[in-house]
Amino acid sequence: GPKVLQIPSHQIIDMGQMVTLNCDPVSNHLYFYWYKQILGQQMEFLVNFYNGKVMEKSKLFKDQFSVERPDGSYFTLKIQPTALEDSAVYFCASSSGLGGNYAEQFFGPGTRLTVL
Amino acid sequence: SQWGEENLQALSIQEGEDVTMNCSYKTYTTVVHWYRQDSGRGPALIILIRSNEREKRSGRLRATLDTSSQSSSLSITAAQCEDTAVYFCATAANSGTYQRFGTGTKLQVVP
């Protein structure tokens, strides 16, 4: 079936550094999402993105976070600067329609971010 | 059952047994999604049930939805070792633009 790829699978950085998480969504999808999952806890919505703009973001999407998808390439999540509490697995998802009720979201395998 | 601030729950059953996982949600929804997540992979949708359906079946999976009690269940009949995974329920956020996930149930099926 359709696959979402995420690069890298694991990133270890020092607190205060910048990190960019990359997502290669399903090719014909128009809506993109980032979710955050701390070990043993539920996955939580960060942000969604459509037509070059953020549609909605949660309170977890701090000012240090930003997203973009320049020229249809990777959909990226940038954190600058990072904090210890940013350590988590970040899942990217994409969908052909709005991924709330009926449009199926396809998830990538996640990037495990460890901030030291 | 899963949701809220509860930690991940764990179930261990024997191969061939039936199992039911429950989910309660806080806000009105017109559809409940059930996902499974295998180790090292992202969630994958396995079944969804809409508010006009009380029950939905797909192979050995059966989902129910009770909108009056804001709860849903996922049952697996004759569980197999390959059913070992974490199972999440999810509902649409009020805006309808993303999903809210439950805390998940870690199911282990042993031979």
Side-chain angles (χ1 to χ4, degrees), chain A residues 3 33 35 37 40-43 45 48 55-56 91 98-105 107-109, chain B residues 4 7-8 30-31 33 35 37 40-43 45 50 88 92 95-99 101-103:
Chain A
K3 285 189 187 293
Y33 314 80
Y35 289 84
Q37 185 178 38
Q41 297 183 21
Q42 64 205 102
M43 195 158 63
F45 170 75
N48 51 19
M55 287 194 301
E56 189 168 359
F91 290 96
L98 266 179
N101 283 314
Y102 297 103
E104 181 176 356
Q105 292 182 76
F107 287 83
Chain B
N7 290 327
L8 179 69
T30 57
V31 61
H33 298 76
Y35 291 84
Q37 184 176 20
R41 303 182 73 172
L45 181 68
R50 299 184 172 91
F88 295 94
S95 62
T97 63
Y98 64 91
Q99 294 184 2
F101 284 79
T103 48

Side-chain angles (χ1 to χ4, degrees), chain A residues 104-116:
Chain A
E104 181 176 356
Q105 292 182 76
F106 291 85
F107 287 83
T111 294
R112 180 176 298 278
L113 176 64
T114 301
V115 182
L116 302 176

